[in-house]
Amino acid sequence: MHALQTVMKYLHKLTEQSQFSVKHAYYFQLRNEPEMSLDIAKNWAELYPDDLGAQEILGIRYMILGQKENELAAYKKIVSLDPNQYEYMLKIGEIYKGQGKFEESLEYYRLYADKFPNNAKSFTQLGDLYRVYGDYEEARSYYKKALLIEPEDITIELSLARIKTELGEFAQGLEDYQEILNKCSSPMEKNEVYKRMESHFFLRGQLEKGIESMENKFTEREKYDAPINILTDKIDVAEKYIMIGRKDTALQIVETLEPCQSGC
């Protein structure tokens, strides 16, 4: 018997708030009834509006359902209940960024950065925001601040190189990618570099070189990721092989996935 089923038998011995938590998990995980679990979470939050746990569960449910406005409201409620829930400031900023609301996103990212001035993430988030909105100089300044805090973080260096590529400074950007690749010490880091190089080449219409970088990316991923994940991603990019006349390679990828679905 699953642990949740056992707990459900003794539900009456728990506090009402704990009962809501258990029932939500029971209907979501065991009964596979997401609508019922959401209704339970809503009732929980309605009866106990100051319960952080209820708001967190609501936020997660809304995130899964893609209901961004409701997710946003839950996160704002959490921050209002406990201003020390700083990670939710980033989540709020991310939602606003996805909605194209620059000023609102900037407000929450800055609140986080003001609280954690020695955290590189404070500045990479701001750098990403400014890059998305085309202010490359401001983005570059924030990435450089982040790099002062984490000088060995290759993702920050990749972000700086990406700016050059997006500004059309292709040769300089590619040179930076190669230098970063030479410094990588793990397959995961190399995967990230090859991913950027792949985008770099495809953006310029250099399909053969883009395919080469893509294959190098998958080679590195094979050292740490599950085979089924890699094959699934290969299916998504099989058309790129067709674009350069390698239909046989695309077909091989599709054929490889079939036995792997049952055995990988």
Side-chain angles (χ1 to χ4, degrees):
M1 181 180 293
H2 194 281
L4 280 174
Q5 291 174 309
T6 303
V7 176
M8 285 291 287
K9 287 186 175 182
Y10 300 97
L11 201 63
H12 62 282
K13 294 187 177 183
L14 303 178
T15 65
E16 190 170 31
Q17 287 162 285
S18 295
Q19 288 180 28
F20 276 118
S21 179
V22 171
K23 286 190 288 186
H24 163 267
Y26 174 75
Y27 280 101
F28 186 75
Q29 296 179 24
L30 289 189
R31 296 287 296 272
N32 193 27
E33 296 183 30
E35 291 184 4
M36 176 65 78
S37 68
L38 178 60
D39 287 340
I40 291 169
K42 286 179 179 178
N43 290 338
W44 180 7
E46 184 177 337
L47 288 173
Y48 298 94
D50 295 337
D51 190 323
L52 282 176
Q55 298 299 332
E56 289 174 344
I57 290 297
L58 266 182
I60 292 172
R61 293 279 75 77
Y62 288 133
M63 177 188 68
I64 293 172
L65 293 171
Q67 298 181 14
K68 289 300 178 184
E69 289 300 330
N70 287 330
E71 181 188 356
L72 186 63
Y75 293 158
K76 283 188 173 183
K77 179 67 174 180
I78 291 170
V79 173
S80 70
L81 291 173
D82 183 1
N84 293 321
Q85 296 289 327
Y86 299 108
E87 289 300 314
Y88 285 98
M89 292 181 182
L90 293 181
K91 292 179 184 292
I92 293 170
E94 188 68 22
I95 291 174
Y96 276 132
K97 183 172 74 172
Q99 293 177 335
K101 297 178 179 179
F102 174 82
E103 293 297 335
E104 291 87 345
S105 180
L106 182 61
E107 176 187 353
Y108 281 93
Y109 282 155
R110 280 181 171 167
L111 285 171
Y112 185 89
D114 289 344
K115 185 63 182 180
F116 300 102
N118 296 317
N119 187 334
K121 182 163 63 173
S122 297
F123 301 107
T124 57
Q125 294 283 359
L126 284 164
D128 290 345
L129 179 65
Y130 277 104
R131 184 190 61 77
V132 167
Y133 284 92
D135 191 338
Y136 291 109
E137 287 307 312
E138 197 70 15
R140 185 181 281 119
S141 71
Y142 280 114
Y143 288 142
K144 287 182 177 179
K145 288 180 181 179
L147 202 57
L148 289 174
I149 299 171
E150 296 286 351
E152 302 300 319
D153 191 329
I154 66 113
T155 60
I156 303 172
E157 294 187 68
L158 286 172
S159 295
L160 283 165
R162 181 177 183 175
I163 288 177
K164 292 182 180 180
T165 296
E166 292 186 359
L167 285 172
E169 301 169 5
F170 295 113
Q172 297 93 322
L174 182 58
E175 184 177 329
D176 287 354
Y177 286 147
Q178 191 59 57
E179 288 181 3
I180 297 168
L181 182 62
N182 294 337
K183 293 193 297 183
C184 289
S185 58
S186 71
M188 293 182 72
E189 289 181 341
K190 291 179 181 179
N191 168 67
E192 290 301 316
V193 179
Y194 283 126
K195 189 189 301 183
R196 293 292 176 85
M197 292 176 72
E198 176 189 350
S199 297
H200 170 94
F201 287 122
F202 278 113
L203 181 64
R204 296 195 67 191
Q206 297 177 318
L207 303 185
E208 292 284 355
K209 290 184 177 180
I211 291 291
E212 181 182 353
S213 295
M214 183 180 72
E215 291 177 338
N216 287 334
K217 175 190 70 178
F218 285 128
T219 297
E220 296 301 327
R221 278 188 62 187
E222 287 169 358
K223 298 175 183 177
Y224 65 88
D225 203 355
I228 186 60
N229 293 336
I230 297 170
L231 280 173
T232 301
D233 286 348
K234 283 184 177 182
I235 289 293
D236 292 336
V237 299
E239 64 181 35
K240 292 183 178 180
Y241 285 106
I242 297 175
M243 290 168 60
I244 63 171
R246 292 172 58 180
K247 295 182 181 179
D248 290 345
T249 303
L251 182 60
Q252 287 173 4
I253 292 172
V254 175
E255 291 176 342
T256 303
L257 182 63
E258 293 179 358
C260 190
Q261 286 178 325
S262 59
C264 285

